[in-house]
């Protein structure tokens, strides 16, 4: 497992450029991703139990915007927001983009990031734990999930998605693809 | 146990994904529990449904690993059938053992499932040979998970006087009280770790950043304030900072984690059968890293090579480790 000390930060130049970018297209893509994730990983909602009604502010501290996640089983939502207009949330999970994505990919341990202060948690701790555990069990690969947005062309889109993820990883240091592990049946 | 026999590595799994990661990383046995009050790690989003447990046991068996199911809380009065039904399910799914703490449940399981292997949970706090022999003779318990309050010499003395295997904690979070007898969390939250299954339940924990410092509260009590850049601890009261007379600091225990990798040869010499890694509440990344490291350590020990210790510090609470009571230096 990579050491928490080695977590990269998103390049400042990139973050500055993103400050000017409109959030609507990002929100559109994020919403589609959330719906697709919900369809492909229904067990997420089971693990979340009564926490599906909560709203989470996912806050990549090295980016100029954050995401509001509402994991409702009937209509999961994910929306990009400016911090100043994020509105109300039940729990905030903040850290560098690489730390947050590394958690989704199971590359980092949430408690270890909390101990090292690379991860900040605020608000409803129960909801945060439920979300963390639910995601950890799903063994999600965000590059694969993005490819899945192409429906029947998923297998065709997977190679370019992983290629793009590798390219973006080289530039930003963020692992957009899940590290390869065993696949025992 | 015969000295010189290979040590068994018993690894934690809070989810089916963590169980698979543990087995792939070289666990000889994995311990886990159901997603209810029968389990002393009854945390939100964690643990196994009945269906997941049956699948997990089948998966582990396909890959030559054992599954030990922890039903290690104390049944609430009037709700015994919930615990008893959990034992039935473990027997039905082919669990390799159940880890129990309660006398009534041990009696029930030994009577109704004579073929089911019983392990005594650390929660039972059996810390001397007489207590252990009582469990062995009365219920046929095959293995005792020893409390984390014993020195290596005491463990060796116990092993000389009992007819059962012993399992000891080798790595992970430390609960400093004689197991099953701590009321700190119950006092602050109204929920008992021993009956509801969670010390410092997340529903009662609050973190807040105050002027760069991280303030943790449990049930409304501020239990520590950590300056920016300093390692954060779990929100457990035993690791809190309190004022007692003129003293202000960690009254019970510092926020450190157990790492007894360097003591593997001595523990083997003391007749221990199995080494247990704590951390069912942790992610599969933790499970994978810790299990892999300890499996390597056991292989090194078996081959007579020196054991690399301390490589897992970044994963631990307080980012500091201790050999705990194995080398006792009480405050
Ligand atoms: S407060 Fe500390 S000693 Fe007490 S049960 Fe919790 S972890 Fe164990």
């Amino acid at each position: 497992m990579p050491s928490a000390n080695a977590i990269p930060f998103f390049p400042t130049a990139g973050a500055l450029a993103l400050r000017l970018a409109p959030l609507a297209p990002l929100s559109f893509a994020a919403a589609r991703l959330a719906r697709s994730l919900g369809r492909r990983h229904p067990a997420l909602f089971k693990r979340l139990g009564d926490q599906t009604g909560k709203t989470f502010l996912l806050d990549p501290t090295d980016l100029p915007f954050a995401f509001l996640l509402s994991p409702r089983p009937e209509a999961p939502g994910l929306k990009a927001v400016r911090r100043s207009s994020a509105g109300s949330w039940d729990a905030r999970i903040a850290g560098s983009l690489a730390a947050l994505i590394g958690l989704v990919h199971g590359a980092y341990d949430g408690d270890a990031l909390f101990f090292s202060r690379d991860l900040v948690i605020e608000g409803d701790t129960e909801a945060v734990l439920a979300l963390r555990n639910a995601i950890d069990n799903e063994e999600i690969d965000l590059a694969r999930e993005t490819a899945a947005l192409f429906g029947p062309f998923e297998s065709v889109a997977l190679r370019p998605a992983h290629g793009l993820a590798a390219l973006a990883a080289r530039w930003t240091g963020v692992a957009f693809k899940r590290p390869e592990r065993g696949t025992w049946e | 146990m015969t000295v010189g026999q290979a040590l068994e590595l018993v690894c934690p799994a809070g989810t089916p994904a963590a169980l698979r990661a543990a087995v792939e990383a070289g666990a000889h046995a994995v311990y886990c529990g159901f997603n209810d009050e029968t389990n002393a790690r009854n945390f939100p989003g964690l643990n196994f449904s009945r269906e997941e447990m049956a699948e997990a046991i089948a998966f582990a068996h396909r890959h030559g690993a054992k599954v030990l199911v922890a039903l290690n809380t104390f049944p609430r009065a009037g709700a015994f059938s919930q615990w008893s039904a959990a034992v039935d399910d473990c027997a039905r799914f082919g669990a390799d053992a159940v880890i129990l703490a309660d006398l009534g449940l041990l009696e029930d399981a030994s009577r109704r499932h004579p073929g089911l292997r019983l392990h005594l949970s650390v929660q039972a706090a059996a810390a001397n040979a007489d207590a252990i022999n009582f469990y062995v003779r009365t219920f046929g318990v095959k293995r005792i998970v020893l409390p984390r309050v014993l020195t290596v010499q005491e463990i060796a003395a116990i092993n000389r006087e009992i007819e059962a295997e012993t399992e000891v904690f080798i790595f992970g979070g430390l609960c400093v009280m004689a197991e099953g007898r701590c009321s700190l969390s119950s006092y602050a939250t109204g929920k008992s770790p021993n009956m509801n299954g969670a010390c410092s339940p997340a529903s009662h924990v609050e973190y807040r950043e105050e002027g760069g410092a991280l303030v943790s509260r449990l049930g409304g009590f501020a239990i520590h304030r950590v300056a920016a850049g300093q390692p954060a601890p779990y929100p457990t009261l035993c690791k809190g900072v309190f004022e007692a007379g003129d003293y202000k600091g960690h009254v019970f225990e510092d926020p450190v984690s157990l790492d007894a990798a360097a003591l593997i040869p001595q523990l083997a010499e003391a007749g221990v059968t199995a080494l247990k890694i704590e951390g069912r509440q942790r992610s599969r990344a933790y499970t994978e890293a810790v299990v892999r490291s300890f499996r390597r350590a056991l292989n090194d020990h078996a081959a007579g090579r020196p054991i690399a210790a301390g490589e897992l510090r970044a994963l631990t609470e307080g980012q500091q480790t201790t050999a705990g009571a194995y080398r006792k230096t009480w405050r």
Side-chain angles (χ1 to χ4, degrees):
Chain A
M1 189 175 112
S3 142
N5 305 334
I7 300 173
F9 281 94
F10 198 81
T12 322
L16 275 174
L18 285 172
R19 210 178 259 191
L20 305 170
L23 294 187
L26 191 58
S27 278
F28 176 75
R32 284 200 55 194
L33 183 66
R35 280 199 298 274
S36 167
L37 263 168
R39 259 196 317 273
R40 287 163 52 87
H41 300 273
L44 271 173
F45 303 115
K46 245 197 217 153
R47 269 191 189 274
L48 273 168
D50 49 13
Q51 306 299 331
T52 54
K54 303 282 166 64
T55 299
F56 299 84
L57 182 71
L58 309 178
D59 190 352
T61 46
D62 45 356
L63 289 187
F65 49 81
F67 295 91
L68 273 180
L69 169 71
S70 42
R72 316 280 178 267
E74 59 302 339
L78 185 65
K79 177 168 122 189
V81 291
R82 300 281 174 210
R83 282 184 191 89
S84 52
S85 53
S88 66
W89 40 263
D90 298 289
R92 172 176 172 256
I93 306 171
S96 68
L97 180 67
L100 297 181
I101 289 185
L103 277 179
V104 173
H105 284 156
Y108 299 128
D109 172 68
D111 287 10
L113 293 188
F114 171 77
F115 298 149
S116 64
R117 310 288 293 273
D118 288 295
L119 194 70
V120 172
I121 290 163
E122 275 185 289
D124 190 329
T125 318
E126 195 171 10
V128 173
L129 272 194
L131 181 67
R132 199 264 320 255
N133 293 331
I135 287 179
D136 196 48
N137 188 49
E138 288 306 306
E139 300 174 309
I140 289 167
D141 174 2
L142 286 174
R144 180 174 281 277
E145 296 304 327
T146 310
L149 295 176
F150 293 89
F153 304 106
E154 177 186 344
S155 51
V156 185
L158 190 61
R159 267 178 72 109
H162 276 159
L164 217 63
L167 204 71
R170 259 202 303 278
W171 181 58
T172 60
V174 180
F176 290 101
K177 172 179 172 299
R178 183 161 74 98
E180 287 306 334
R181 290 257 162 76
T183 46
W184 290 13
E185 291 300 323
Chain B
M1 137 185 194
T2 329
V3 175
Q5 208 170 300
L7 288 160
E8 178 180 310
L9 189 58
V10 181
C11 307
T15 58
L19 179 136
R20 288 193 295 274
V23 173
E24 288 194 41
H28 297 118
V30 180
Y31 68 105
C32 49
F34 293 122
N35 49 4
D36 58 31
E37 288 179 319
T38 61
N39 177 351
R41 282 280 185 262
N42 183 20
F43 292 174
L46 209 65
N47 299 314
F48 292 63
S49 66
R50 294 310 201 252
E51 199 186 343
E52 286 170 338
M53 186 63 83
E55 280 169 16
I57 291 173
F59 172 87
H61 287 173
R62 275 202 300 284
H63 297 287
K66 292 189 252 179
V67 175
L68 321 175
V69 185
L71 308 172
N72 53 349
T73 48
F74 295 86
R76 269 182 299 110
F80 188 81
S81 58
Q82 189 187 336
W83 276 257
S84 177
V87 173
D88 294 347
D89 290 335
C90 293
R92 193 157 51 87
F93 299 154
D96 295 279
V98 286
I99 309 170
L100 309 181
D102 182 68
L103 281 170
L105 200 58
L106 281 159
E107 194 278 331
D108 182 68
S110 65
R111 192 168 35 79
R112 294 190 311 108
H113 299 286
L116 183 60
R117 188 178 162 94
L118 304 181
H119 290 187
L120 188 71
S121 165
V122 69
Q123 293 282 96
N128 60 63
D130 288 332
I132 291 169
N133 283 331
F134 167 78
Y135 285 103
V136 174
R137 287 191 205 118
T138 316
F139 308 118
V141 167
K142 295 280 188 294
R143 182 181 294 179
I144 316 295
V145 186
L146 292 176
R148 286 163 274 199
V149 294
L150 300 168
T151 62
V152 176
Q153 289 78 5
E154 286 167 335
I155 292 169
I158 286 175
N159 275 328
R160 282 194 292 273
E161 290 178 43
I162 63 168
E163 286 301 319
E165 301 168 354
T166 51
E167 179 174 307
V168 299
F169 281 90
I170 191 79
F171 186 85
L174 267 177
C175 181
V176 295
M177 300 289 170
E179 260 85 5
R181 293 174 191 165
C182 173
S183 299
L184 288 171
S185 182
S186 313
Y187 175 76
T189 69
K191 290 205 160 197
S192 156
N194 307 321
M195 290 163 89
N196 304 109
C199 169
S200 310
S203 50
H204 292 66
V205 173
E206 188 199 351
Y207 298 114
R208 202 175 293 165
E209 292 278 329
E210 291 178 8
L214 173 73
V215 181
S216 313
R217 287 189 175 79
L218 182 69
F221 298 99
I223 54 178
H224 33 67
R225 178 184 299 269
V226 189
Q230 293 298 309
Y234 276 131
T236 46
L237 279 163
C238 60
K239 314 268 175 67
V241 171
F242 304 97
E243 278 177 27
D246 297 336
Y247 176 80
K248 185 176 174 195
H250 294 106
V251 177
F252 302 103
E253 175 63 294
D254 296 333
V256 292
S257 296
L258 175 72
D259 183 357
L263 294 178
I264 289 173
Q266 286 94 314
L267 291 167
E269 192 71 17
V272 164
T273 298
L275 302 178
K276 183 170 212 153
I277 296 169
E278 186 273 348
R280 286 191 283 145
Q281 75 285 14
R282 305 289 292 264
S283 68
R284 63 180 206 276
Y286 166 93
T287 308
E288 212 262 341
V290 179
V291 174
R292 202 170 289 290
S293 168
F294 273 92
R295 182 57 196 267
R296 195 166 51 235
L298 288 195
N299 291 349
D300 286 344
H301 170 63
R305 291 188 293 265
I307 292 169
E311 59 179 44
L312 297 167
R313 192 156 298 160
L315 284 171
T316 61
E317 181 180 17
Q319 322 240 286
Q320 280 182 61
T321 54
T322 168
Y326 297 134
R327 285 190 190 129
K328 206 176 268 176
T329 49
W330 293 106
R331 203 189 292 285

